[in-house]
Amino acid sequence: SAGDDGQITAWPLTAKTTLDPTQKPKRIATLPNRVTSLDLITNNQGIWIASGSDDAQVRLHRFNPEE
């Protein structure tokens, strides 16, 4: 998830795709501007999160759920 505070957060889910209350969310990034869009990209190099913000920049963030 992302929002007006510039935080990008990954929320752990259960096998039934509901929020897993036994695990804490992981902060992916804190950006200086409001995040207006997110997209998840998976490939042979792992999981990437593309974010867009009010400053018209697109940023890529590598995500490793094991860390």
Side-chain angles (χ1 to χ4, degrees):
S1 70
D4 292 344
D5 60 359
Q7 304 275 338
I8 298 175
T9 305
W11 298 87
L13 301 177
T14 66
K16 295 181 181 181
T17 65
T18 59
L19 189 59
D20 186 347
T22 65
Q23 296 186 36
K24 292 185 177 187
K26 297 179 183 183
R27 181 167 299 146
I28 306 302
T30 302
L31 305 177
N33 295 307
R34 180 173 73 110
V35 177
T36 56
S37 64
L38 283 179
D39 196 8
L40 215 61
I41 303 158
T42 60
N43 62 21
N44 60 353
Q45 295 178 346
I47 300 171
W48 297 84
I49 297 172
S51 67
S53 59
D54 280 345
D55 61 2
Q57 291 193 19
V58 175
R59 293 175 176 90
L60 287 176
H61 315 272
R62 186 160 189 197
F63 176 61
N64 182 351
E66 303 301 320
E67 290 180 350

